[in-house]
Amino acid sequence: LLKVEGLAKVYGGVHAVDDVDFVAQAGRISGIIGPNGAGKTTLFNVITGLDEPTRGRVLFKGRDITGFAAHRITKLGIARTFQNIRLFKELTVIENIMVGRHVRAGHPTLERMRTLNALHSLWSRDKVERSIYLSARRWLEFFALEQSAKELARNLPYGKQRALEIARALATDPTLLFLDEPAAGMNPAETRELLGTIKRVNDLGITIVLIEHDMKLVMNVCERITVLNYGKKLAEGTPEEIKNDPAVIEAYLGREE
């Protein structure tokens, strides 16, 4: 589904991502792990259009999308969440999800609307807004957020704010979902709930790639794991292969002199 070839991002003399190859197989859950500063979030940012690569290519469904703007990448079917929650905190829960859905709304252009009579324009707008609202309700129910629909996003407990951000990403109707440290700041009960949520989303046919420091979560949910260290790919394999790889153990724990 996604293929990254020789991807690099250099800031001055710092090689944040250094010639990384990576593949996300359709329908699977993949993980990207590594110590702090390994280049994981930078890799996500380059793939999802928040930053431009210094070199390398990103292929999605066989199409070269290298350097595409974030909104174009979203329309193609790639969505993401962020390490630090980026909700619209002064909007309600359902409004946050509706914002995500607007990328699929199919609004008429202004030029087309000028050619329509006023009554038809109102009808068309209401139809689109109704469709957006119904789609948002679906994700409210999926994440058990119905009771909080009219709450301001900032008033939600932390775990539910994380769930809302995933719901907003899913409202864009992605084929591929990137989750950047979804368990960060969660207590054990919230992490267990997140584990079930990730599996349920994957059961919908959505491919998932996640960055995570919670190794228990990673080992329980990911089918394949890529390890980064100092911007380079250090290892790749199944959870069992990764947790027994001497190079990975050294990257995390160091070695005796």
Side-chain angles (χ1 to χ4, degrees):
L1 186 67
L2 181 85
K3 186 176 183 181
V4 171
E5 297 178 337
L7 205 64
K9 181 61 184 178
V10 180
Y11 299 99
V14 177
H15 291 253
V17 175
D18 194 355
D19 292 322
V20 170
D21 295 327
F22 171 74
V23 171
Q25 297 287 354
R28 291 188 177 181
I29 303 175
S30 304
I32 298 177
I33 66 171
N36 286 329
K40 304 181 296 295
T41 294
T42 302
L43 178 64
F44 267 25
N45 289 345
V46 172
I47 293 172
T48 59
L50 294 185
D51 215 340
E52 290 191 14
T54 303
R55 60 181 175 272
R57 295 199 306 164
V58 180
L59 304 173
F60 181 58
K61 298 180 180 178
R63 178 181 180 180
D64 191 336
I65 63 168
T66 312
F68 277 25
H71 69 277
R72 288 185 68 191
I73 288 173
T74 304
K75 283 188 175 182
L76 289 173
I78 299 176
R80 69 167 295 175
T81 64
F82 296 87
Q83 184 176 346
N84 298 313
I85 296 173
R86 295 190 187 182
L87 294 174
F88 301 107
K89 295 192 176 182
E90 299 304 318
L91 296 182
T92 66
V93 169
I94 194 165
E95 285 169 344
N96 267 272
I97 301 176
M98 289 174 72
V99 166
R101 187 62 190 173
H102 269 272
V103 73
R104 302 292 177 206
H107 283 288
T109 63
L110 288 175
E111 288 72 21
R112 282 178 58 204
M113 288 181 71
R114 290 191 187 106
T115 67
L116 301 172
N117 63 59
L119 185 60
H120 185 268
S121 295
L122 285 171
W123 176 84
S124 177
R125 185 194 66 191
D126 289 345
K127 185 178 179 182
V128 168
E129 291 298 324
R130 178 69 177 166
S131 172
I132 291 170
Y133 175 80
L134 291 175
S135 176
R137 290 291 308 182
R138 173 196 172 200
W139 292 114
L140 278 177
E141 293 165 8
F142 186 88
F143 286 92
L145 290 169
E146 309 100 299
Q147 302 302 315
S148 304
K150 295 183 180 179
E151 283 273 351
L152 293 181
R154 60 180 168 84
N155 293 335
L156 288 181
Y158 183 82
K160 289 191 178 296
Q161 287 192 27
R162 282 282 181 194
L164 177 56
E165 192 176 39
I166 298 173
R168 185 181 60 186
L170 290 170
T172 68
D173 197 18
T175 307
L176 175 60
L177 176 64
F178 285 96
L179 301 175
D180 193 349
E181 294 196 35
M186 286 188 172
N187 61 42
E190 289 170 333
T191 301
R192 284 194 298 272
E193 186 175 345
L194 173 67
L195 176 65
T197 296
I198 291 171
K199 289 180 177 178
R200 288 196 300 130
V201 171
N202 184 240
D203 286 343
L204 298 175
I206 297 170
T207 304
I208 297 173
V209 180
L210 62 91
I211 292 171
E212 190 49 68
H213 285 292
D214 187 321
M215 288 299 103
K216 187 175 181 181
L217 174 66
V218 170
M219 295 300 170
N220 280 329
V221 78
C222 294
E223 299 170 70
R224 195 157 187 85
I225 298 169
T226 300
V227 186
L228 299 185
N229 195 29
Y230 295 110
K232 289 182 174 291
K233 186 164 79 171
L234 180 66
E236 190 171 44
T238 65
E240 192 66 26
E241 290 168 340
I242 292 301
K243 69 183 181 183
N244 292 306
D245 189 312
V248 176
I249 295 169
E250 180 182 329
Y252 274 95
L253 302 177
R255 63 179 174 182
E256 290 187 286
E257 292 294 335

